């Protein structure tokens, strides 16, 4: 049993505790924060790949980083469109790779 048996997590808790106006503001700003937060990770991964491998396009490293980041976004979008089962299997493979010995 949970203390607040509603779907919505933190948003539902804030709306219940502080009222619907504050709950709406919380959900909006949380959504905005996730958009900016999620947009940083593909670029960081692209920079990491660029540092490890030569991904320059016609001598331009920034274009290579952008293409790697765009590829990551398209790959993850494709996984999500394939469904939860595929995404869970992929995450399990990533867990095994990450937790394995170096």
């Amino acid at each position: 049993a949970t203390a607040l048996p509603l779907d919505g997590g933190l948003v539902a808790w804030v709306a219940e505790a502080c009222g619907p106006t504050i709950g709406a503001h919380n959900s909006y700003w949380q959504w905005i924060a996730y958009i900016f937060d999620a947009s940083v990770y593909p670029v960081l991964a692209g920079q990491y790949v660029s540092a490890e491998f030569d991904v320059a396009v016609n001598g331009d490293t920034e274009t290579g980083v952008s293409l790697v980041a765009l590829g990551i976004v398209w790959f993850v979008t494709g996984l999500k469109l394939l469904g939860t089962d595929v995404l869970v299997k992929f995450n399990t493979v990533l867990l095994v790779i990450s937790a394995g010995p170096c």
Side-chain angles (χ1 to χ4, degrees), residues 7-100:
D7 289 336
L10 179 66
V11 173
W13 182 84
V14 171
E16 185 73 24
C18 301
T21 303
I22 301 297
H25 278 282
N26 176 57
S27 64
Y28 174 75
W29 288 111
Q30 193 174 23
W31 177 66
I32 293 295
Y34 286 156
I35 288 174
F36 286 108
D37 186 44
S39 66
V40 170
Y41 295 117
V43 175
L44 289 175
Q47 289 175 344
Y48 175 76
V49 169
S50 174
E52 293 296 319
F53 307 103
D54 184 26
V55 293
V57 176
N58 294 332
D60 185 14
T61 305
E62 191 170 318
T63 303
V65 169
S66 298
L67 289 175
V68 170
L70 192 60
I72 291 169
V73 169
W74 280 107
F75 178 72
V76 171
T77 301
L79 279 176
K80 289 187 176 198
L81 289 175
L82 289 174
T84 306
D85 293 336
V86 174
L87 194 60
V88 167
K89 289 175 184 173
F90 180 73
N91 285 341
T92 303
V93 170
L94 284 181
L95 172 70
V96 170
I97 291 171
S98 298

